[in-house]
Amino acid sequence: MAELFSEYNQFKGIVGGRINQSVELTSLDPFIYEAARKHIVPWLGSVYATLVAAGSPTQAQTVLITYVRRPLALRTIHEYSKVVSVELSDSGMHRIETETRKSSYRYQEKQFQEDALQKGYDALETMLFFLDSNRATYPDWVATEEATAHLSQLLNYAKDFRRLVNTNCDRYSFEALRPIIAHQQLMICQSAVPAEFWSGFMSRHIAGTLTTAEKVVRDYMRQAVAYASMNEALQQHYVTISNGRVYVQEDTGDQAMSDRKMPAAGSAQLPANQIMADRYTVLWKNYIRNNPNSFPTVFDVSSGGSNSNSDAWHINNADEADAAAYELDMKKKKGVLQL
């Protein structure tokens, strides 16, 4: 019996016309196993093994299994489609054809595989959002490292990316951006605020208890992170790392196939995305500065805040503001040395 699928109709009911009745569940079994370890376990962790081993699943497990089956079935179809049209024997590899059935064209294979790939990732996002929305029901998932990694990002859903920045970003595209998003969050958000504030801010973000003011800052942060991530992706992810080399991957007209070419030196340009990222970074910082009472852990005690650490933000009092203005004025009056 295949993992999480006790009968063929459970699998067929999800993938629909992508396969016909001639495909047996036993043929899909090894691909289900591989797809689960590659695409599902990295998000569910030990919870997946618990679901597989559950001889009599609880009601909560039964509901979760229905959400897990869909991305698992679609990703299985994608993996299975890579090898189903060839057969290995003692005489070599052969293309499988009959008098009534001919092999598909390359562009048809590519369209079929891309559809299963994208729909599988979209179903994966639905599964994650279900778990996120029902954390009280699935505390065993919340306790895993995989859940922590997912929940600790400010921007962890493609739907939020589409809402805030780009309407054309599906979950598959979002997965390519995810490591960059985590890096940008660290560099332009976490490193820019006091550690005490960030710790509490992220705890409330994960718990879903952010204040109204903090939600405004989070949206500005998300937009800054999203634009900065797209900028970096345009400069780095237009290439593919494969077989020990770096390629530019370009689609051609030959049955929708792709060519691999060496990247041209200096081809990455700084687009407008970085300008947008900088603008939203200014917005979230200014919002905090203009509403200090809503963010006490950002500011030091002398500024009316509650943070006594050295990384706290400081608001100049009247005397300090006058001294700073005087120092700036003196700098402007200094002579300019020309070489």
Side-chain angles (χ1 to χ4, degrees), residues 236 239-249 260:
Q236 294 186 18
V239 299
T240 299
I241 302 174
S242 177
N243 299 324
R245 299 183 66 187
V246 178
Y247 303 92
V248 172
Q249 188 162 307
R260 290 177 174 176

Side-chain angles (χ1 to χ4, degrees), residues 216-284:
V216 173
V217 169
R218 182 179 62 179
D219 270 356
Y220 286 151
M221 284 182 171
R222 282 174 166 175
Q223 288 168 296
V225 167
Y227 279 114
S229 298
M230 284 198 298
N231 180 66
E232 185 171 341
L234 287 172
Q235 296 186 65
Q236 294 186 18
H237 275 219
Y238 68 101
V239 299
T240 299
I241 302 174
S242 177
N243 299 324
R245 299 183 66 187
V246 178
Y247 303 92
V248 172
Q249 188 162 307
E250 297 180 350
D251 289 337
T252 66
D254 180 18
Q255 300 194 59
M257 297 304 291
S258 297
D259 282 343
R260 290 177 174 176
K261 300 178 180 179
M262 295 302 294
S267 58
Q269 301 294 327
L270 182 66
N273 289 322
Q274 188 58 52
I275 298 175
M276 296 298 294
D278 293 341
R279 288 173 177 171
Y280 281 107
T281 299
V282 170
L283 279 176
W284 72 256

